[in-house]
Amino acid sequence: MSLPHAILTALLEKPSSGLELTRRFDRSIGYFWSATHQQIYRELGKLEQAGHIRALPSQAPARGQKKEYEVLPAGREALTAWVRRSEDPKPIRDALLLRLRAAAVVGTEGFADELRRHLVLHQAQLEEYLGMEERQFPPERRAAEADRLRHLVLRGGIELERFWTAWLTEALAEFDRDH
């Protein structure tokens, strides 16, 4: 997955300015593909140069006015080709798992506190996702395919957070057993 594809997806859902894209990333796409404001603006420029997006004409051009972008046919074709492409799963790269492995070698003093901290963070994220699910996907909004697919993405996040909370609870039980 790449940032240009995330931006094309967001712009196809709704033409937006760079600032609006940043806000939308913070509320949805950013939960699984994060990007800074600067990265988004840099990528918008590249996508515009490549002919994948264009700035919408504004009513009254003014210095400093925000540009709103829309996806051009070439951008839709690029996104469609990317969606249809085969891609293998990426290996997990998680610093906490590596640190736990290292703790097995150098000692675990204080590490249970870090596991507890991560557990609290994952529990909070799970609660946030469950709240989003309740607000954004009531049963009557799950009929359209686009809504069902967006809900499926959120369900993936919910299940990942459930995994982490269960795994961290198990890891802490192992620490308690040895101490």
Side-chain angles (χ1 to χ4, degrees):
M1 174 133 159
S2 66
L3 182 55
H5 298 112
I7 290 173
L8 288 171
T9 299
L11 289 175
L12 280 169
E13 290 174 342
K14 180 181 182 234
S16 303
S17 68
L19 180 59
E20 290 167 336
L21 278 173
T22 300
R23 288 179 179 150
R24 289 175 57 209
F25 265 68
D26 289 345
R27 289 189 318 263
S28 62
I29 292 173
Y31 285 111
F32 55 91
W33 195 262
S34 63
T36 66
H37 189 75
Q38 293 82 7
Q39 289 170 318
I40 290 171
Y41 272 96
R42 191 171 35 247
E43 203 57 54
L44 284 169
K46 290 177 186 176
L47 288 166
E48 192 170 25
Q49 281 184 329
H52 290 177
I53 65 171
R54 72 175 178 128
L56 292 169
S58 61
Q59 272 78 359
R63 185 174 159 85
Q65 182 179 6
K66 65 180 180 178
K67 289 184 192 177
E68 198 167 80
Y69 295 91
E70 72 175 351
V71 177
L72 296 170
R76 181 180 280 277
E77 289 170 17
L79 185 61
T80 300
W82 177 74
V83 166
R84 291 181 179 154
R85 186 175 76 204
S86 195
E87 190 171 293
D88 293 338
K90 301 290 183 235
I92 293 175
R93 288 183 60 174
D94 189 281
L96 182 67
L97 297 175
L98 181 57
R99 290 170 54 213
L100 182 58
R101 179 76 181 248
V105 176
V106 299
T108 60
E109 185 176 335
F111 201 74
D113 291 338
E114 180 67 351
L115 292 174
R116 280 187 208 88
R117 189 177 77 80
H118 276 256
L119 178 58
V120 167
L121 292 171
H122 283 287
Q123 287 170 331
Q125 189 65 64
L126 176 59
E127 289 304 312
E128 185 172 342
Y129 284 167
L130 291 171
M132 288 170 65
E133 180 180 41
E134 188 176 311
R135 288 186 307 277
Q136 296 175 12
F137 297 102
E140 64 273 8
R141 188 166 168 218
R142 298 180 193 173
E145 181 181 40
D147 285 335
R148 288 194 319 269
L149 295 177
R150 288 183 191 104
H151 184 228
L152 192 57
V153 171
L154 180 57
R155 294 290 311 155
I158 289 168
E159 293 308 318
L160 283 171
E161 294 305 326
R162 284 186 173 145
F163 160 77
W164 279 112
T165 57
W167 182 84
L168 286 160
T169 301
E170 180 183 339
L172 284 164
E174 284 295 318
F175 270 78
D176 289 344
R177 188 173 73 89
D178 291 337
H179 295 99

